[in-house]
Amino acid sequence: MIENIKTVSDLNFKNKIALVRVDFNVPVNNQSYKIIDDTRILYSIPTIQKIISDSGKVVLMSHFGRPKGKYSKIYSLRFIISYLSKKLKIPIKFSETCIGKAVEKKISELKNGEILLLENIRFYKEEEEGNENFAFKLSKLGDIYVNDAFGVSHRSHASISIVPKFFGEKKCIGFLMKKEIQSLKKVLEKGRAPITILLGGAKISSKIAIIENMINLVDYLLIGGAMSYPFIKAQGGKVGNSLVDEYNDLKVLKKIIEQYKKQKKTKILFPKDVIIADSFKNYAQTKIVSIHSIPDGWMGLDIGPTSIKNFCEIINYSRTILWNGPLGVFEFQNFSSGTTSIAKSIVKSTEHGAFSLVGGGDTIAALKIKKYENKISYLSTGGGAMLESLKNKMLPGIKAIIS
Ligand code: AMP
């Protein structure tokens, strides 16, 4: 990972216009637009404050939702204005466009210490296409480019990976990005042993490369949730009607397990028992069975008590823990105990001095059910970007700053 990446602390913004890519893609109530989780905005405030206190001007650009390249009122970023001005205690100006004469005029009228928020950058299809010409036009809006949008830094979108190209040396990352990079480093490069990575959720396809990359790097790789079923199938087990991701190249999965067996450092563990249900419902009929022998017509919806005990024992003596993905269908209260027990044991380990990093929208939502979110060392603002970083690949948003 990157040692000496330039950050906002290394630059003076006096009289300069900072074009700051933030990630204000926050969950909101779809009627009142009340912000349900403001973490991403809160974490980006120190960067904005640094620029303001230098007497610089701030132009904020962000996406919100998936408007698919055209204007749509429901995806407008206007709802952020009042929230942000309250937090920063200064008025926020707004531009309905992201490129062109009107926005350029608004920027030319900005005084030092003022902030202009641009409308949703994804109202332009060129953003997600990574269009050079669009990126060039955006680059005309500022003197210094700042990336503080970790949640989208794994995307090769115009405002993330192309715009910085036009800024030469005048580009850097913000404080939120720095914290994300440092937290990942604390796990992957400087993690105190035993290091444990816990992966759950439903989609195995996005996590295969991570599982391969963890061999010989960490001490324990714990796999739970629906992620485990293709692996159980690959080992000849019966998973009944459990959810199996469309990725089910069992030969590849079998090979991965063999690779783990060939070395001694990293132990890969799957649940031993599961809670199975006769239908996908909170009040379904349930049984506890071995994960290798789930009858037809039944599906595994949570890890069982023996698996909880085994996983928690490892977490209890781990000194570094990274978690992404629930261990079961935690949205159904009757199948949430695996996920909440794991959350509880990560909190306990953290209280005893372990470093814990948790990411992913569902995983953070599960922590919040028990109000554990402030008891974790660092909550990542980007589940997808965090997973991409675990594949040992440099994120496009970081690469664009250092090249
Ligand atoms: P992902 O986006 O891959 O992190 O998947 C998160 C989703 O996985 C959550 O909505 C969980 O309900 C779901 N999930 C976890 N375990 C299971 C399971 N055993 N069966 C079905 N869905 C699951």
Side-chain angles (χ1 to χ4, degrees):
M1 233 175 266
I2 339 93
E3 271 312 322
N4 296 318
I5 188 162
K6 213 187 277 174
T7 76
V8 275
S9 318
D10 301 317
L11 295 168
N12 191 325
F13 289 85
K14 190 172 167 64
N15 296 326
K16 301 276 187 238
I17 306 162
L19 180 62
V20 187
R21 178 51 158 110
V22 284
D23 180 1
F24 288 168
N25 187 30
V26 288
V28 294
N29 174 299
N30 52 17
Q31 249 111 57
S32 65
Y33 276 80
K34 194 175 170 330
I35 298 171
I36 296 165
D37 179 2
D38 60 357
T39 314
R40 284 179 170 170
I41 311 180
L42 282 183
Y43 282 18
S44 68
I45 283 180
T47 296
I48 300 171
Q49 279 171 333
K50 149 73 177 151
I51 300 164
I52 301 284
S53 68
D54 273 5
S55 285
K57 304 165 191 184
V58 181
V59 177
L60 296 172
M61 58 180 171
S62 176
H63 70 288
F64 176 59
R66 296 197 166 153
K68 302 211 167 96
K70 55 179 191 297
Y71 177 81
S72 161
K73 199 175 167 195
I74 58 165
Y75 292 117
S76 172
L77 271 170
R78 274 186 184 277
F79 72 94
I80 299 278
I81 302 173
S82 61
Y83 173 89
L84 201 58
S85 44
K86 250 191 230 146
K87 284 279 162 209
L88 288 162
K89 298 190 181 71
I90 45 171
I92 306 289
K93 301 187 172 184
F94 187 73
S95 169
E96 273 142 26
T97 50
C98 297
I99 50 168
K101 290 237 156 37
V103 60
E104 283 167 18
K105 183 164 182 290
K106 282 196 174 173
I107 293 173
S108 70
E109 288 163 1
L110 273 186
K111 297 190 187 76
N112 287 343
E114 289 189 333
I115 301 171
L116 176 77
L117 170 68
L118 306 184
E119 184 52 288
N120 191 342
I121 192 99
R122 286 197 188 159
F123 285 168
Y124 298 81
K125 67 174 181 355
E126 293 88 343
E127 163 66 357
E128 288 182 78
E129 288 169 358
N131 182 294
E132 287 259 344
N133 195 24
F134 175 67
F136 177 71
K137 286 179 189 161
L138 282 174
S139 74
K140 294 285 141 205
L141 305 182
D143 305 312
I144 301 172
Y145 172 89
V146 181
N147 180 352
D148 214 15
F150 181 72
V152 267
S153 283
H154 58 311
R155 306 272 183 216
S156 297
H157 294 170
S159 66
I160 294 287
S161 66
I162 321 284
V163 173
K165 279 212 295 208
F166 300 104
F167 283 84
E169 295 287 299
K170 292 183 187 139
K171 58 191 173 199
C172 63
I173 57 165
F175 293 123
L176 178 158
M177 282 287 280
K178 190 176 176 194
K179 269 204 160 154
E180 296 277 357
I181 294 169
Q182 282 174 336
S183 302
L184 278 160
K185 209 176 190 157
K186 271 192 188 165
V187 175
L188 299 176
E189 291 175 26
K190 298 188 174 160
R192 278 194 297 146
I195 305 174
T196 296
I197 307 269
L198 179 70
L199 296 177
K203 286 178 247 93
I204 188 171
S205 36
S206 55
K207 292 165 194 155
I208 288 277
I210 302 172
I211 296 171
E212 286 180 302
N213 194 38
M214 289 303 127
I215 303 182
N216 263 316
L217 192 71
V218 300
D219 300 292
Y220 294 98
L221 178 62
L222 311 181
I223 309 239
M227 283 250 323
S228 39
Y229 301 122
F231 281 103
I232 300 300
K233 260 176 98 170
Q235 293 168 85
K238 289 202 165 75
V239 299
N241 288 32
S242 303
L243 178 67
V244 175
D245 191 16
E246 79 267 5
Y247 182 92
N248 53 18
D249 189 339
L250 301 186
K251 275 194 203 129
V252 172
L253 301 184
K254 213 170 160 187
K255 212 169 127 207
I256 293 175
I257 292 175
E258 276 157 17
Q259 280 170 341
Y260 270 92
K261 280 185 186 152
K262 273 191 209 140
Q263 50 80 59
K264 286 209 173 82
K265 179 171 166 67
T266 312
K267 289 177 195 67
I268 188 165
L269 279 108
F270 298 95
K272 281 203 168 10
D273 58 344
V274 274
I275 304 180
I276 56 169
D278 62 350
S279 60
F280 192 77
K281 278 195 222 124
N282 187 31
Y283 288 106
Q285 239 195 37
T286 60
K287 286 188 211 172
I288 297 169
V289 298
S290 154
I291 196 168
H292 289 271
S293 45
I294 302 174
D296 286 340
W298 292 76
M299 60 192 88
L301 295 187
D302 198 6
I303 56 172
T306 306
S307 312
I308 293 179
K309 190 170 163 278
N310 292 346
F311 281 14
C312 288
E313 257 168 36
I314 292 169
I315 290 166
N316 284 349
Y317 69 83
S318 294
R319 298 292 80 205
T320 307
I321 305 150
L322 181 146
W323 179 28
N324 185 305
L327 284 302
V329 186
F330 76 99
E331 297 93 335
F332 292 157
Q333 212 212 331
N334 289 340
F335 299 99
S336 64
S337 87
T339 304
T340 50
S341 306
I342 292 295
K344 192 174 173 187
S345 88
I346 296 179
V347 166
K348 223 166 90 189
S349 249
T350 311
E351 282 166 356
H352 290 134
F355 177 78
S356 55
L357 170 59
V358 177
D362 288 315
T363 319
I364 293 174
L367 279 176
K368 286 188 173 164
I369 294 174
K370 295 281 175 192
K371 300 208 169 29
Y372 289 150
E373 68 273 24
N374 297 323
K375 297 181 172 177
I376 297 295
S377 310
Y378 188 73
L379 285 189
S380 174
T381 56
M386 175 173 138
L387 289 176
E388 282 304 306
S389 307
L390 295 179
K391 292 177 189 168
N392 200 20
K393 277 192 210 145
M394 191 180 287
L395 302 181
I398 294 174
K399 201 168 171 188
I401 298 296
I402 59 172
S403 52

